[in-house]
Amino acid sequence: METDDAVIETAEEAKEPAEADINELCKDMFTKMSTYLSGELTATSEDYKLLEKMNKLTCLKYMEMKDIAINISRNLKDLNHNYASLQPYLEQIDQIEEQVASLELAAYKLDAYSKKLEAKFKKLEKR
């Protein structure tokens, strides 16, 4: 049987690293941290520049859309004005169409009446 003495490890005294090593490690850490923060700030700056460009392009697009809307509005007003000026003529066309329809009906009635008269005349002529 083994004793517990064999399993026990001996502790070594912790030694502090030399002062020069700590200074070099701190310098290295600050250099790397500076590089990291500089990269982060550069990325953020580039993001803001991209957003600025996108905002400018969006502004230009909205200005174009505004001009298009103004032109459409102007053309619609012109079209409504033209329609209003044509309205009396359109009403006259409607009236003429109604009169033609009533004339056509009268012509059919006249045609039917003349056929009846012709039939009566032929009947009288045969006698």
Side-chain angles (χ1 to χ4, degrees):
M1 254 197 184
E2 288 185 35
T3 64
D4 288 334
D5 291 337
V7 178
I8 297 175
E9 295 180 15
T10 61
E12 293 183 22
E13 184 178 331
K15 296 179 183 175
E16 290 188 23
E19 184 112 359
D21 290 342
I22 291 177
N23 285 339
E24 286 299 317
L25 290 173
C26 284
K27 284 180 184 177
D28 186 43
M29 179 191 73
F30 283 119
T31 302
K32 289 180 180 177
M33 185 63 94
S34 172
T35 303
Y36 169 76
L37 290 175
S38 176
E40 285 292 316
L41 291 174
T42 301
T44 303
S45 174
E46 292 299 319
D47 286 345
Y48 281 119
K49 286 178 184 176
L50 177 63
L51 281 173
E52 182 181 12
K53 286 180 184 177
M54 289 171 61
N55 282 338
K56 286 179 180 177
L57 288 174
T58 303
C59 184
L60 289 174
K61 200 60 156 171
Y62 277 121
M63 287 171 55
E64 287 175 14
M65 291 170 63
K66 176 188 163 197
D67 290 342
I68 290 171
I70 288 171
N71 287 335
I72 289 173
S73 175
R74 187 179 309 122
N75 289 339
L76 187 58
K77 285 179 184 176
D78 291 344
L79 187 63
N80 283 336
H81 180 267
N82 290 342
Y83 181 76
S85 66
L86 287 176
Q87 189 63 34
Y89 299 112
L90 294 173
E91 289 173 1
Q92 286 178 358
I93 290 172
D94 288 342
Q95 289 174 354
I96 290 171
E97 186 179 6
E98 289 173 7
Q99 291 172 352
V100 166
S102 69
L103 279 175
E104 185 180 16
L105 184 61
Y108 285 135
K109 287 180 180 179
L110 185 61
D111 185 49
Y113 182 72
S114 65
K115 286 181 183 177
K116 283 182 185 178
L117 280 178
E118 183 181 4
K120 280 185 180 181
F121 179 74
K122 286 184 181 180
K123 202 179 201 184
L124 288 175
E125 208 175 50
K126 285 183 182 178
R127 282 191 199 173

